[in-house]
Amino acid sequence: MKQSKNIYVWLLATNLFISAFTFGGGYIVVPMVRRFFVVKKQYFTEEDLINMAAIAQSTPGAIAINLSALAGYKVAGIMGVFISCFAAIIPPLVILGFVSAFYKIFISNIIIAAILKGMEAGVAALMVDLIVDMCSMILKKRSFFFSIMIPLSFIANFVLGINVALILLVCCFLCVLQVFYKKRKDK
């Protein structure tokens, strides 16, 4: 897969930007990847993004790095993986190195504490946006099975206090059962 140098520069710049400005990691990266890769450039669909996010979460390592690697691969193959991973790793290393060097100053500064509180609010807003997008995609499929899984998972965790890992395992198991049921029904 031969790519122009422009795509590599775009991948580097975009992933540097995403990595530098997505505080909170994990699923906070998904809305930013959506904005740049799906909405602005249409390199892949929202469904592709949701699938990549699921894979990124289920593979070992940081979700942000895994997702950037998958997006880079989708856009520019193996070279895209290397560029995207490099770009996703550099900002946190620089920021953490800087914060570590001046830790005593940062820990006691009221302004920096206020900035971090503001970032928490921004991260919460991004999480709500991602959840709304994911739920709307599930509801668009008009599948009773998936649609009922959303409130049941919420109730299981927030009302009944069941561990999220157990909820994920049960949901995965139910989805596997549904696939086998549909295959058997189609025969």
Side-chain angles (χ1 to χ4, degrees):
M1 181 188 301
K2 186 165 171 116
Q3 299 286 334
S4 69
K5 290 183 181 180
N6 290 341
I7 194 70
Y8 298 138
V9 171
W10 183 85
L11 268 176
L12 180 70
T14 301
N15 282 300
L16 279 170
F17 179 82
I18 290 171
S19 182
F21 294 103
T22 50
F23 297 95
Y27 280 111
I28 299 304
V29 173
V30 177
M32 294 291 279
V33 170
R34 178 181 172 267
R35 185 168 128 209
F36 288 103
F37 288 82
V38 176
V39 175
K40 285 188 176 182
K41 292 286 188 171
Q42 289 105 28
Y43 282 127
F44 42 85
T45 66
E46 292 211 23
E47 188 168 339
D48 291 335
L49 177 61
I50 297 300
N51 291 336
M52 287 190 294
I55 292 168
Q57 188 217 1
S58 62
T59 54
I63 295 171
I65 305 300
N66 294 342
L67 185 58
S68 69
L70 291 167
Y73 182 77
K74 189 88 166 165
V75 172
I78 296 296
M79 192 62 174
V81 171
F82 290 118
I83 291 169
S84 295
C85 286
F86 175 77
I89 292 169
I90 294 303
L93 284 177
V94 171
I95 292 168
L96 285 174
F98 184 75
V99 168
S100 297
F102 300 103
Y103 180 74
K104 289 194 186 249
I105 296 170
F106 282 117
I107 198 72
S108 62
N109 191 316
I110 300 168
I111 295 171
I112 292 176
I115 289 170
L116 291 174
K117 282 292 181 195
M119 286 179 177
E120 286 178 14
V123 167
L126 284 173
M127 289 296 287
V128 168
D129 181 51
L130 173 66
I131 291 167
V132 168
D133 285 347
M134 291 176 88
C135 289
S136 69
M137 283 185 64
I138 290 170
L139 294 174
K140 281 180 188 174
K141 290 187 178 209
R142 298 189 186 274
S143 166
F144 178 76
F145 178 74
F146 291 123
S147 297
I148 197 70
M149 201 178 281
I150 297 169
L152 290 178
S153 298
F154 178 82
I155 291 168
N157 182 256
F158 287 101
V159 175
L160 302 175
I162 298 173
N163 188 308
V164 174
L166 183 60
I167 295 169
L168 284 172
L169 285 173
V170 169
C171 288
C172 290
F173 178 73
L174 290 173
C175 288
V176 168
L177 285 178
Q178 183 194 32
V179 168
F180 284 127
Y181 173 75
K182 280 188 175 183
K183 280 188 177 184
R184 184 173 245 188
K185 185 179 174 184
D186 290 341
K187 285 183 180 182

